Amino acid sequence: MTQPATFGGRPKTPAPGVPTPELRVARFRSHARRLVWPSLVLIVVAGAVGFLYGNLPAPFHNWMLLAAAAVVLFFLALWPFLAWWAHTWTITTRRVIERSGAIVPRRRELTHVRGYAIQLRRGPLQRMWGAGTLILSNGVDEPMRLTNVPSVDLVHECLVDQVEVNQILAHRELPLPQAPTPPPLPPTA
């Protein structure tokens, strides 16, 4: 059974009192332009090893060249890639989740229903690449920084929409205030 489509492709709002499932809206990493230098290091090291393998001066051996290349590639190509790969942000219908750390994983969450301020910052290079930095601050916890987010305008619009929908659903679920009962009338004789 499918949900009927509405304007904008948004599913219908559930009836009051019905639990809403948590759905993933988006999952993304920071912009991949930070991998330009590691990929250039990989290309240069591969070219240097290909040129120097078998042509080293007398005191050096080929295994020394391969060991040096492996160390350089680990620290200047593989490590930055793993750091980029391990840091993700996930937007669901209830919260924003930040996961980071390749060796020691860390997780941080910010719920939409509490509400938060969204600040958008874009430098000249970020504008050129269509990226930006979003700062989510709820006034209580440390602000969550989403740095170098690709398609930052779309993510900003998505976050604003999720906060608005969650605020509406949260206030809709509140019990209605009961009207005060009038005091009893005095007995008549």
Side-chain angles (χ1 to χ4, degrees):
M1 185 166 140
T2 61
Q3 292 182 337
T6 61
F7 181 72
R10 184 182 296 165
K12 287 191 169 189
T13 307
V18 175
T20 58
E22 183 173 18
L23 303 172
R24 183 173 66 195
V25 177
R27 178 180 288 157
F28 53 92
R29 292 179 174 82
S30 64
H31 202 280
R33 74 170 187 265
R34 77 184 261 197
L35 298 176
V36 169
W37 289 109
S39 60
L40 288 176
V41 167
L42 176 68
I43 293 168
V44 167
V45 169
V49 167
F51 179 75
L52 294 174
Y53 192 81
N55 295 326
L56 291 174
F60 300 106
H61 300 286
N62 287 334
W63 67 267
M64 292 178 180
L65 174 68
L66 295 176
V71 168
V72 168
L73 286 179
F74 179 77
F75 285 110
L76 297 181
L78 184 63
W79 191 263
F81 173 76
L82 289 177
W84 172 80
W85 186 261
H87 197 144
T88 61
W89 293 285
T90 305
I91 301 173
T92 69
T93 53
R94 292 188 186 158
R95 57 197 164 163
V96 179
I97 305 166
E98 177 183 19
R99 289 187 180 108
S100 61
I103 297 173
V104 179
R106 291 180 300 261
R107 179 181 167 128
R108 189 168 166 211
E109 296 181 6
L110 187 63
T111 59
H112 300 308
V113 78
R114 288 182 66 183
Y116 47 83
I118 304 171
Q119 185 178 9
L120 172 62
R121 292 186 180 172
R122 297 176 85 177
L125 284 176
Q126 287 178 327
R127 286 182 194 273
M128 189 170 72
W129 289 95
T133 299
L134 291 169
I135 302 170
L136 311 178
S137 174
N138 64 1
V140 178
D141 302 323
E142 181 182 344
M144 183 182 285
R145 296 178 56 89
L146 286 69
T147 55
N148 287 323
V149 175
S151 302
V152 71
D153 292 327
L154 184 63
V155 174
H156 181 270
E157 183 180 334
C158 173
L159 288 171
V160 169
D161 188 43
Q162 290 301 318
V163 169
E164 179 182 356
V165 167
N166 275 275
Q167 291 290 319
I168 290 170
L169 289 175
H171 290 305
R172 191 180 75 170
E173 297 297 327
L174 290 176
L176 294 175
Q178 299 294 327
T181 57
L185 295 174
T188 56

